[in-house]
Amino acid sequence: MLKQPVDQVKGIGDKLAEGLANMGIFTVEDLLFHLPYRYDVFEVQPLAELIHDDKVTIEGEIASPAQVQYYGRKKNRLTVTLLVENVAVKAIMFNRAFAQKQLLPGRRVTMTGKWDQHRLQLTVSNFKLGDADEMTPIQPVYGVKGSVTVRQLQKSVKQALDQFETDIQEVLPVTFLTSYKLPDRRTALQHMHFPADRQSLAHARRRFTYEEFLLFQLKMQFIRKKKREASAGGSLYYDREKVKDFITTLPFQLTNAQQRVLKEIMRDLGSAYRMNRLLQGDVGSGKTAVAAVALYAAVTAGKQGAIMVPTEILAEQHAQSLAAMLDGYATVALLTGSVKGKRRKAVLEQIAKGDVDIVVGTHALIQDEVHYKALAVAIVDEQHRFGVQQRRTLRDKGLHPDVLFMTATPIPRTLAITAFGDMDVSAIDEMPAGRKEIETYWVKENTVDRVLDFIRKEVAAGHQAYVISPLIEESDKLDIQNAVDLHQMLSAVFEPDIRVGLMHGRLHPDEKEAVMKEFADNETQVLVSTTVVEVGVNVPNATLMIIYDAERFGLSQLHQLRGRVGRGDAQSYCILIAEPKGEIGKERMRIMTETTNGFELSEQDLQLRGPGDFFGKKQSGIPEFKVADMVHDYRALETARKDAEEIIAEEKLENDPDYRNLLEALDAQFALNGEVLD
Ligand code: ADP
Ligand code: MG
C-alpha cells in the first residue's frame, strides 16, 4: 500500500517525516514520485572538446603528490597535477585537504568540475578514484526544502523502492507496454531515481510521459463523453435548403476550410448532443461568415442566436456586418453596456419575445436581465478574452444552446488538445484567395523619420495607417497618456494635410464609435490607438500598421495587431519599432518578420515562452505534468490522445479486466482534484 504515511519507510523518523511533510510528501507514494527535476550527465570528454567555464568531467593519472596550502582559519586549497591524454592539467579543490592522502602519484582518478580553458585547470566539485565507468555518470538533481538533505531523500527513496517493491502496481495495460516498448512502472520508477545510463533513463521518462498524457487525455475524453450524454436531445432542426440558399448570397465563395468547418458545425447542430466546439482561425480567415451561417441555421429552426464579443467596438462592427449579410434573412440587434434607457428596454423585450433573431453584444448578453425566448446557438468570439465563468454563464443561458468558441489566436495543436481536450476543435487553416502577404519590417527608433515618410507615401496612394502606441503594463493611465502624446506628435507633423485620429479605452462609447467611423470613412487617414484595436476591427483600406515599442508585446498580440491590415486587395505593411534588450525579444522580432502564418507563429511562441505562459495564468486549464513536456513530447501526446479516444469509445475501462488498474488510476485523479462534471 503506497498510501501509507511516509514514516512507514524504514529509517524515516519523526523529524525527517516532518521535514518531508513540509515538502508536501506525506505518503510513501508521494515520496516515490518526488522525482528529480533535472539530471546532470557527467561523461568523460576529450580535452579538445572541453568548453571554457563549462562543467566537465575528465579522467587521468596523478602525476605528482598533491600540495595543500592553508590560509585563514580552517581554509585550505589542494592542488594536484594530472596527466590527461599526456597533457598536464592542474586540478584544484578547496577545503578538502583530506584528499591529499588519496591522490597519490600513479593512481587514476575521475574529476568533475568547472573548466578553465586558458589555464588548463579544473576547479573540482566531485572526484572519484578510478576510471569513469565505475562512477555513475548521471546524477539526479532533486528539489529539497528546509532541513531535508538530498542524501536523506535519496536514501529514503531507495529504501522505499526496496520495501514497497511489490506495491508499485502497473497501471498501463500490457498491450501498451509491449507495443510501445515501455518499461514497467516499477522498473521505470527505479530508473527515474537511479538511472543506470542514459538509455534506461530515457525509457523511464518515455514511460511516465505516456502515462501522464494518457491519464490526462482519458480524463478529458471522459468528461467530453459525459457532457455529450448529459446534453442528449439537443438536435436543432434547421432548414438545410434555406441555409444553403443563404450561403449563395454571400459576396464571396467560401474557402474549402470554411466549408469544412461549417460541415463540422452543422453536424454538431443537427446531432443529439450539444455543440461544444472551438473554432480556430487566423486573423482574416473569415470566421465571421462561418458564424453568420451557424446563427442563421438557428433562425431557420425558429430559434435565436447570440454572439458575444469582448469589446464594444467589435460588437458594433459585428452587428453591422451581420445585419448586412443577413439582410432579408434574419433580424439583428445590438446589446452592449452603452445601449441604455428606452432603447435597452426595447431590445430586452424583443429578445424575450423572440422578435429579434440574432443578438450581438458584449458580456451584457449574459447579464441576469437578459432573457432569451429560444436561444439555440451561442457563439463566443475571441474566446480567450473571456474568463471561464463568463463562458459558462453563456452556456447556461436559455435552453442549453449549442456553443461555438472562436479564436483568432491560433493555439498550437499540442496546447489545444491539452487545454481544450474536452472540446471538439476545428481550424480554418486557409486564407481567402488573393490575399497578399503582409510585409513586415523591424526598425530601430532612430529611423522614425523614414517611418513617417512611409505613412505619407501610403496616404498619398489613398490608403490609411494605424499607429499603435507603446503598451505600459499594469497602467491604463500611462497607456492612454502615451497614445495622447503620440497623437499630438503625429498631428503636429501631419495635420492639416493628413488627419490623425485617436482611439483608446477611456473614450466614451459614443466617441469611440465616432472615431472608428471617421477612420472607416477615411476622414482620418492615420489612427493612433492603444491595443483596443487589437481584436477584430475591420477597415480594409488600411494598409500600414506601425507598432511602437513592439518588444513590449507578445508574439500573438503583435500578430493580432498586424492582422488589422492586409484586409483589402492592396499590399500591406507592418513596421515594428523596437529595441529589444534580450535574445528572446530579438528572436520575437525576427519571427514576426519571417512568418505571417499564425499557427507557425504560435508554435514558435510556445517554444519561446513555454506552456505555462502561453495563455494568461488565470484560465490556462493546462495541467502540470511531472515528467511530460508538451512542447517536446508532442508526438507522445498525439498518440495518447488517439489511444484515449479509442479506450473511451470502446468502453474498455468498464469492460476489459486488463484496464482495471487504469480505471482506478483515473478515478484517483478525479478524486484528487475534487473535480465535478459541469
Ligand atoms: P476573422 O476570421 O478575422 O474574423 P473576418 O470574418 O472578419 O475574419 O473576415 C475578414 C475579411 O475576409 C472580411 O472582409 C470578409 O468579408 C472576407 N472574407 C471572408 N471569407 C471570405 C472568402 N471566402 N473569400 C473572400 N473574402 C472573404
Ligand atoms: Mg473576427
Coordinates of all heavy atoms in Angstrom, one line a residue, residues 261-326:
V261 N -15.2 23.4 -41.9 CA -15.6 23.7 -40.5 C -17.1 23.9 -40.4 O -17.7 23.5 -39.4 CB -14.8 24.8 -39.9 CG1 -13.3 24.6 -40.0 CG2 -15.3 26.2 -40.4
L262 N -17.7 24.4 -41.5 CA -19.2 24.6 -41.4 C -19.8 23.2 -41.4 O -20.8 23.0 -40.7 CB -19.7 25.4 -42.6 CG -19.9 26.8 -42.3 CD1 -20.3 27.6 -43.6 CD2 -21.0 27.0 -41.3
K263 N -19.3 22.3 -42.1 CA -19.9 20.9 -42.1 C -19.8 20.4 -40.7 O -20.7 19.8 -40.2 CB -19.0 20.1 -43.1 CG -19.9 19.2 -44.0 CD -19.0 18.3 -44.8 CE -19.4 18.4 -46.3 NZ -18.4 17.9 -47.2
E264 N -18.6 20.6 -40.1 CA -18.4 20.1 -38.7 C -19.4 20.7 -37.8 O -20.0 20.0 -36.9 CB -17.0 20.3 -38.3 CG -16.0 19.4 -39.0 CD -14.5 19.9 -38.8 OE1 -14.3 21.0 -38.3 OE2 -13.6 19.2 -39.3
I265 N -19.6 22.0 -37.9 CA -20.5 22.7 -37.0 C -22.0 22.3 -37.3 O -22.7 22.0 -36.4 CB -20.4 24.2 -37.3 CG1 -19.0 24.7 -36.7 CG2 -21.5 25.0 -36.6 CD1 -18.6 26.1 -37.1
M266 N -22.3 22.2 -38.5 CA -23.7 21.8 -38.9 C -24.0 20.4 -38.4 O -25.1 20.1 -37.9 CB -24.0 21.9 -40.4 CG -23.8 23.3 -41.0 SD -24.6 24.6 -40.0 CE -26.2 24.6 -40.8
R267 N -23.0 19.5 -38.4 CA -23.2 18.2 -37.9 C -23.5 18.2 -36.4 O -24.4 17.6 -35.9 CB -22.0 17.3 -38.2 CG -22.3 15.8 -38.1 CD -21.2 14.9 -38.4 NE -20.1 15.4 -39.3 CZ -18.9 15.5 -38.9 NH1 -18.5 15.3 -37.6 NH2 -18.0 15.9 -39.8
D268 N -22.7 19.1 -35.7 CA -22.9 19.2 -34.3 C -24.3 19.7 -34.0 O -25.0 19.3 -33.1 CB -22.0 20.3 -33.7 CG -20.6 19.7 -33.5 OD1 -20.4 18.5 -33.7 OD2 -19.7 20.5 -33.1
L269 N -24.8 20.7 -34.8 CA -26.1 21.3 -34.5 C -27.2 20.3 -34.7 O -28.1 20.3 -33.9 CB -26.3 22.5 -35.5 CG -25.4 23.7 -35.3 CD1 -25.8 24.8 -36.3 CD2 -25.5 24.3 -33.9
G270 N -27.1 19.5 -35.7 CA -28.1 18.6 -36.0 C -28.1 17.3 -35.1 O -29.1 16.6 -35.0
S271 N -26.9 17.1 -34.5 CA -26.8 15.9 -33.7 C -27.5 16.0 -32.3 O -28.0 17.1 -31.9 CB -25.3 15.6 -33.4 OG -24.9 16.4 -32.4
A272 N -27.6 14.9 -31.7 CA -28.4 14.8 -30.4 C -27.7 15.5 -29.3 O -28.3 15.8 -28.3 CB -28.6 13.3 -30.1
Y273 N -26.4 15.7 -29.4 CA -25.7 16.3 -28.2 C -25.4 17.8 -28.5 O -25.5 18.2 -29.7 CB -24.4 15.6 -27.9 CG -23.5 15.5 -29.1 CD1 -22.6 16.5 -29.5 CD2 -23.4 14.3 -29.8 CE1 -21.8 16.4 -30.5 CE2 -22.6 14.2 -30.9 CZ -21.8 15.2 -31.3 OH -21.0 15.1 -32.4
R274 N -25.1 18.5 -27.5 CA -24.9 20.0 -27.6 C -23.5 20.2 -28.2 O -22.5 19.6 -27.8 CB -25.0 20.6 -26.2 CG -26.2 21.5 -26.1 CD -26.2 22.1 -24.7 NE -26.7 21.1 -23.8 CZ -26.3 21.1 -22.5 NH1 -25.4 21.8 -22.1 NH2 -26.8 20.2 -21.7
M275 N -23.4 21.2 -29.0 CA -22.1 21.5 -29.6 C -21.2 22.2 -28.5 O -21.7 23.0 -27.7 CB -22.3 22.5 -30.7 CG -20.9 23.0 -31.3 SD -21.1 23.8 -32.9 CE -22.1 25.2 -32.5
N276 N -20.0 21.8 -28.4 CA -19.0 22.4 -27.5 C -17.7 22.4 -28.3 O -16.9 21.6 -28.2 CB -18.9 21.5 -26.3 CG -17.9 22.1 -25.3 OD1 -17.8 23.4 -25.2 ND2 -17.2 21.3 -24.5
R277 N -17.6 23.4 -29.2 CA -16.6 23.3 -30.3 C -15.8 24.6 -30.3 O -16.3 25.7 -30.1 CB -17.2 23.1 -31.6 CG -16.2 22.9 -32.8 CD -16.9 22.6 -34.1 NE -17.4 21.2 -34.1 CZ -16.6 20.1 -34.4 NH1 -15.3 20.3 -34.6 NH2 -17.1 18.9 -34.4
L278 N -14.5 24.4 -30.4 CA -13.6 25.5 -30.6 C -13.2 25.7 -32.0 O -12.8 24.8 -32.7 CB -12.3 25.3 -29.8 CG -11.2 26.4 -29.8 CD1 -11.6 27.6 -29.0 CD2 -9.9 25.8 -29.3
L279 N -13.4 26.9 -32.6 CA -13.1 27.2 -33.9 C -11.8 28.1 -34.0 O -11.9 29.3 -33.5 CB -14.2 27.9 -34.7 CG -13.9 28.4 -36.1 CD1 -13.4 27.2 -37.0 CD2 -15.1 29.1 -36.7
Q280 N -10.7 27.6 -34.5 CA -9.5 28.4 -34.6 C -9.4 28.9 -36.0 O -9.6 28.1 -36.9 CB -8.3 27.6 -34.3 CG -8.2 27.0 -32.9 CD -6.8 26.4 -32.7 OE1 -5.9 27.1 -32.7 NE2 -6.7 25.1 -32.5
G281 N -9.0 30.1 -36.1 CA -8.8 30.6 -37.5 C -8.0 31.9 -37.4 O -8.4 32.8 -36.6
D282 N -7.0 32.0 -38.2 CA -6.2 33.1 -38.1 C -7.0 34.4 -38.4 O -8.0 34.3 -39.0 CB -5.1 33.0 -39.2 CG -3.8 33.6 -38.7 OD1 -3.8 34.5 -37.9 OD2 -2.7 33.2 -39.3
V283 N -6.4 35.5 -38.0 CA -7.0 36.8 -38.3 C -7.3 36.9 -39.8 O -6.4 36.6 -40.6 CB -6.0 37.9 -38.0 CG1 -6.6 39.3 -38.1 CG2 -5.5 37.7 -36.6
G284 N -8.5 37.2 -40.2 CA -8.8 37.4 -41.6 C -9.2 36.1 -42.3 O -9.4 36.1 -43.5
S285 N -9.2 35.0 -41.6 CA -9.5 33.8 -42.3 C -11.0 33.6 -42.6 O -11.4 32.7 -43.2 CB -9.0 32.6 -41.5 OG -9.7 32.5 -40.2
G286 N -11.8 34.5 -42.0 CA -13.3 34.5 -42.4 C -14.1 33.8 -41.4 O -15.0 33.0 -41.8
K287 N -13.9 34.0 -40.1 CA -14.7 33.3 -39.1 C -16.1 33.9 -39.0 O -17.1 33.2 -38.7 CB -14.0 33.4 -37.7 CG -12.7 32.6 -37.7 CD -12.1 32.6 -36.3 CE -11.7 34.0 -35.8 NZ -10.6 34.6 -36.7
T288 N -16.2 35.2 -39.3 CA -17.5 35.9 -39.2 C -18.5 35.3 -40.1 O -19.7 35.1 -39.7 CB -17.4 37.4 -39.4 OG1 -16.2 37.9 -38.8 CG2 -18.6 38.1 -39.0
A289 N -18.1 35.0 -41.3 CA -19.1 34.4 -42.3 C -19.5 33.0 -41.7 O -20.7 32.7 -41.8 CB -18.4 34.2 -43.6
V290 N -18.6 32.3 -41.2 CA -19.0 31.0 -40.6 C -20.0 31.1 -39.5 O -21.0 30.4 -39.4 CB -17.7 30.2 -40.1 CG1 -18.1 29.0 -39.3 CG2 -16.8 29.8 -41.3
A291 N -19.7 32.1 -38.6 CA -20.6 32.4 -37.5 C -22.0 32.8 -38.0 O -23.0 32.3 -37.5 CB -20.0 33.6 -36.7
A292 N -22.0 33.6 -39.1 CA -23.3 34.0 -39.6 C -24.1 32.9 -40.1 O -25.3 32.8 -39.8 CB -23.1 35.0 -40.8
V293 N -23.5 31.9 -40.7 CA -24.2 30.7 -41.2 C -24.8 29.9 -40.0 O -25.9 29.5 -40.0 CB -23.3 29.9 -42.1 CG1 -24.1 28.6 -42.5 CG2 -22.9 30.6 -43.3
A294 N -23.9 29.7 -39.0 CA -24.4 29.0 -37.9 C -25.5 29.7 -37.2 O -26.5 29.0 -36.8 CB -23.2 28.7 -36.9
L295 N -25.4 31.0 -37.0 CA -26.5 31.7 -36.4 C -27.8 31.6 -37.2 O -28.9 31.5 -36.7 CB -26.1 33.2 -36.2 CG -25.0 33.4 -35.2 CD1 -24.4 34.9 -35.3 CD2 -25.4 33.2 -33.7
Y296 N -27.6 31.8 -38.5 CA -28.8 31.7 -39.3 C -29.5 30.3 -39.3 O -30.7 30.2 -39.3 CB -28.4 32.1 -40.8 CG -29.6 32.0 -41.7 CD1 -30.7 32.8 -41.5 CD2 -29.6 31.1 -42.7 CE1 -31.9 32.7 -42.3 CE2 -30.7 31.0 -43.6 CZ -31.9 31.8 -43.4 OH -33.0 31.7 -44.1
A297 N -28.7 29.3 -39.1 CA -29.2 28.0 -39.0 C -30.2 27.9 -37.8 O -31.3 27.3 -38.0 CB -28.1 26.9 -38.8
A298 N -29.9 28.6 -36.7 CA -30.8 28.6 -35.6 C -32.1 29.3 -36.0 O -33.2 28.8 -35.6 CB -30.1 29.3 -34.4
V299 N -31.9 30.3 -36.7 CA -33.1 31.1 -37.1 C -34.1 30.3 -38.0 O -35.3 30.3 -37.8 CB -32.7 32.4 -37.9 CG1 -33.9 33.2 -38.3 CG2 -31.8 33.2 -37.0
T300 N -33.5 29.5 -38.9 CA -34.3 28.6 -39.7 C -35.1 27.6 -38.9 O -36.1 27.0 -39.4 CB -33.5 27.9 -40.8 OG1 -32.7 26.9 -40.2 CG2 -32.7 28.8 -41.7
A301 N -34.6 27.3 -37.7 CA -35.3 26.3 -36.9 C -36.3 27.1 -35.9 O -36.8 26.5 -35.0 CB -34.3 25.5 -36.0
G302 N -36.4 28.4 -36.2 CA -37.4 29.1 -35.4 C -36.8 29.5 -34.0 O -37.5 29.8 -33.1
K303 N -35.5 29.5 -33.9 CA -34.8 29.8 -32.6 C -34.0 31.1 -32.8 O -34.0 31.7 -33.8 CB -33.9 28.7 -32.2 CG -34.6 27.3 -32.2 CD -35.2 27.0 -30.9 CE -35.9 25.7 -31.0 NZ -36.2 25.0 -29.8
Q304 N -33.3 31.4 -31.7 CA -32.4 32.6 -31.7 C -31.0 32.2 -31.6 O -30.6 31.1 -31.2 CB -32.7 33.4 -30.5 CG -34.1 34.1 -30.5 CD -34.5 34.7 -29.2 OE1 -34.5 34.1 -28.2 NE2 -34.7 36.0 -29.2
G305 N -30.1 33.2 -32.1 CA -28.7 33.0 -32.0 C -28.1 34.2 -31.3 O -28.7 35.3 -31.3
A306 N -27.0 34.0 -30.6 CA -26.3 35.2 -30.0 C -24.8 35.1 -30.2 O -24.3 34.0 -30.3 CB -26.6 35.2 -28.5
I307 N -24.2 36.2 -30.4 CA -22.7 36.2 -30.5 C -22.2 37.2 -29.5 O -22.6 38.4 -29.5 CB -22.3 36.4 -32.0 CG1 -20.7 36.5 -32.0 CG2 -22.9 37.6 -32.6 CD1 -20.2 36.3 -33.4
M308 N -21.3 36.8 -28.7 CA -20.7 37.6 -27.7 C -19.2 37.9 -28.0 O -18.5 37.0 -28.4 CB -20.7 36.9 -26.3 CG -20.2 37.7 -25.2 SD -20.7 37.0 -23.6 CE -19.5 35.7 -23.3
V309 N -18.9 39.2 -28.0 CA -17.5 39.6 -28.3 C -16.9 40.5 -27.2 O -17.7 41.0 -26.3 CB -17.5 40.5 -29.6 CG1 -18.1 39.7 -30.8 CG2 -18.4 41.7 -29.4
P310 N -15.6 40.6 -27.1 CA -15.0 41.2 -25.9 C -15.1 42.8 -25.8 O -15.0 43.3 -24.8 CB -13.6 40.8 -26.0 CG -13.3 40.4 -27.4 CD -14.6 40.0 -27.9
T311 N -15.3 43.5 -26.9 CA -15.3 44.9 -26.9 C -16.5 45.5 -27.6 O -17.1 44.9 -28.4 CB -14.0 45.6 -27.5 OG1 -14.1 45.3 -28.9 CG2 -12.8 45.0 -26.9
E312 N -16.8 46.7 -27.2 CA -18.0 47.4 -27.8 C -17.7 47.7 -29.3 O -18.6 47.5 -30.1 CB -18.3 48.7 -27.0 CG -18.7 48.4 -25.6 CD -19.6 49.5 -25.0 OE1 -19.7 50.5 -25.7 OE2 -20.2 49.2 -23.9
I313 N -16.5 48.1 -29.6 CA -16.2 48.4 -31.0 C -16.5 47.2 -31.8 O -17.2 47.3 -32.9 CB -14.7 48.7 -31.2 CG1 -14.3 49.9 -30.3 CG2 -14.4 49.0 -32.6 CD1 -12.8 50.2 -30.4
L314 N -16.0 46.1 -31.4 CA -16.2 44.8 -32.1 C -17.7 44.5 -32.2 O -18.2 44.0 -33.3 CB -15.4 43.7 -31.4 CG -15.1 42.5 -32.3 CD1 -14.4 43.0 -33.6 CD2 -14.1 41.6 -31.5
A315 N -18.4 44.7 -31.1 CA -19.8 44.3 -31.1 C -20.5 45.2 -32.2 O -21.3 44.6 -32.9 CB -20.4 44.6 -29.7
E316 N -20.2 46.4 -32.2 CA -20.9 47.3 -33.2 C -20.5 46.9 -34.6 O -21.4 46.8 -35.5 CB -20.4 48.8 -33.0 CG -21.3 49.4 -31.8 CD -20.5 50.5 -31.1 OE1 -19.6 51.1 -31.7 OE2 -20.9 50.7 -29.9
Q317 N -19.3 46.6 -34.8 CA -18.8 46.2 -36.1 C -19.5 44.9 -36.6 O -20.0 44.7 -37.7 CB -17.3 46.0 -36.1 CG -16.8 46.3 -37.5 CD -15.3 46.6 -37.3 OE1 -14.5 45.6 -37.1 NE2 -14.9 47.8 -37.5
H318 N -19.5 43.9 -35.7 CA -20.2 42.6 -36.0 C -21.7 42.8 -36.2 O -22.2 42.2 -37.1 CB -20.0 41.7 -34.8 CG -18.8 40.8 -34.9 ND1 -17.9 40.9 -36.0 CD2 -18.4 39.8 -34.2 CE1 -17.0 40.0 -35.8 NE2 -17.2 39.3 -34.7
A319 N -22.3 43.7 -35.4 CA -23.7 43.9 -35.6 C -24.0 44.4 -37.0 O -24.9 44.0 -37.7 CB -24.3 44.8 -34.5
Q320 N -23.1 45.4 -37.4 CA -23.3 46.0 -38.7 C -23.1 44.9 -39.8 O -23.9 44.8 -40.7 CB -22.3 47.1 -38.9 CG -22.9 48.5 -38.7 CD -21.7 49.5 -38.8 OE1 -20.7 49.3 -39.5 NE2 -21.9 50.5 -38.0
S321 N -22.0 44.2 -39.7 CA -21.7 43.3 -40.8 C -22.6 42.1 -40.9 O -23.0 41.7 -41.9 CB -20.2 42.9 -40.9 OG -19.8 42.3 -39.6
L322 N -23.1 41.7 -39.7 CA -24.0 40.6 -39.7 C -25.4 41.0 -40.2 O -26.1 40.3 -41.0 CB -24.2 40.0 -38.3 CG -23.0 39.1 -37.8 CD1 -23.2 38.8 -36.3 CD2 -22.9 37.9 -38.7
A323 N -25.8 42.2 -39.8 CA -27.1 42.8 -40.3 C -27.0 42.9 -41.8 O -28.0 42.5 -42.5 CB -27.4 44.1 -39.7
A324 N -25.9 43.3 -42.4 CA -25.8 43.4 -43.8 C -25.8 42.1 -44.5 O -26.5 41.9 -45.5 CB -24.5 44.2 -44.2
M325 N -25.1 41.1 -43.9 CA -25.0 39.8 -44.5 C -26.4 39.1 -44.5 O -26.8 38.4 -45.4 CB -24.0 38.9 -43.8 CG -22.6 38.9 -44.3 SD -21.7 37.6 -43.5 CE -20.4 38.5 -42.7
L326 N -27.1 39.3 -43.3 CA -28.3 38.6 -43.1 C -29.6 39.4 -43.5 O -30.7 38.9 -43.2 CB -28.4 38.2 -41.6 CG -27.4 37.1 -41.2 CD1 -27.2 37.1 -39.7 CD2 -28.0 35.7 -41.6

